[in-house]
Amino acid sequence: MHGSSGKAAVVVDPTKPLVGVHRYREPIVAGVNLFAGAVGGGFSVLLCQPLDTIKVKMQTYPELYSNLFDCGVKTWKRQGIVGLYAGTVPSLAANVLENASLFMFYGMCQTVVQAVVSKPRVEDLTTFQNACAGGAAAFFTSFFLCPTEL
């Protein structure tokens, strides 16, 4: 047994309920999903904010800009990078909160749907069952998102 500690590997049967140490899996998965959603939401805003700012400027002042490129160049020359990232903080807060809660609730709702339909693993859910989990997750996320939209 070269490189082995001599201990047998623990194999988890996905058809049996989690017991012992494995019962802590759900909160950890929820935390990972929350973090992944927050990071995804943050990067989404940071990458797309300049285009959103240009879009809003072109809609608000159509007489000042002939096209997207013209608006971007004029904004960059007048205000620099700060001008392209105008309004980032509120957008960042809303998107991070929305995506983090949506990712977390989607994982939780998948687990609930899995239990309701008696599937041994979340990966065994059908497209319709995943859609139901997604709809339920969106319902719960709306409680976090609606205050930011007002």
Side-chain angles (χ1 to χ4, degrees):
M1 295 184 136
H2 179 67
S4 175
S5 63
K7 295 181 182 178
V10 176
V11 178
V12 177
D13 184 357
T15 61
K16 295 181 180 175
L18 299 174
V19 293
V21 173
H22 299 292
R23 72 175 179 259
Y24 297 109
R25 180 180 181 277
E26 290 303 318
I28 291 171
V29 170
V32 168
N33 287 340
L34 186 77
F35 179 74
V39 170
F43 275 110
S44 172
V45 170
L46 294 176
L47 292 173
C48 297
Q49 186 66 30
L51 290 174
D52 191 51
T53 301
I54 291 170
K55 175 199 73 162
V56 169
K57 283 183 173 223
M58 289 182 65
Q59 289 173 334
T60 307
Y61 309 107
E63 67 283 351
L64 295 179
Y65 307 108
S66 59
N67 57 42
L68 180 103
F69 185 74
D70 178 51
C71 182
V73 169
K74 285 179 179 176
T75 302
W76 179 266
K77 285 181 179 178
R78 290 181 190 142
Q79 300 168 312
I81 197 162
V82 174
L84 292 173
Y85 280 92
T88 299
V89 174
S91 183
L92 190 62
N95 265 319
V96 165
L97 185 61
E98 177 185 5
N99 284 1
S101 62
L102 190 58
F103 274 52
M104 182 184 72
F105 285 125
Y106 179 62
M108 291 174 158
C109 291
Q110 278 185 312
T111 304
V112 170
V113 170
Q114 172 196 358
V116 168
V117 297
S118 301
K119 296 276 184 165
R121 300 176 318 146
V122 168
E123 292 81 10
D124 297 332
L125 295 177
T126 66
T127 302
F128 178 74
Q129 292 162 344
N130 277 312
C132 290
F139 170 77
F140 291 115
T141 298
S142 68
F143 290 103
F144 294 102
L145 184 60
C146 285
T148 66
E149 295 292 325
L150 297 177

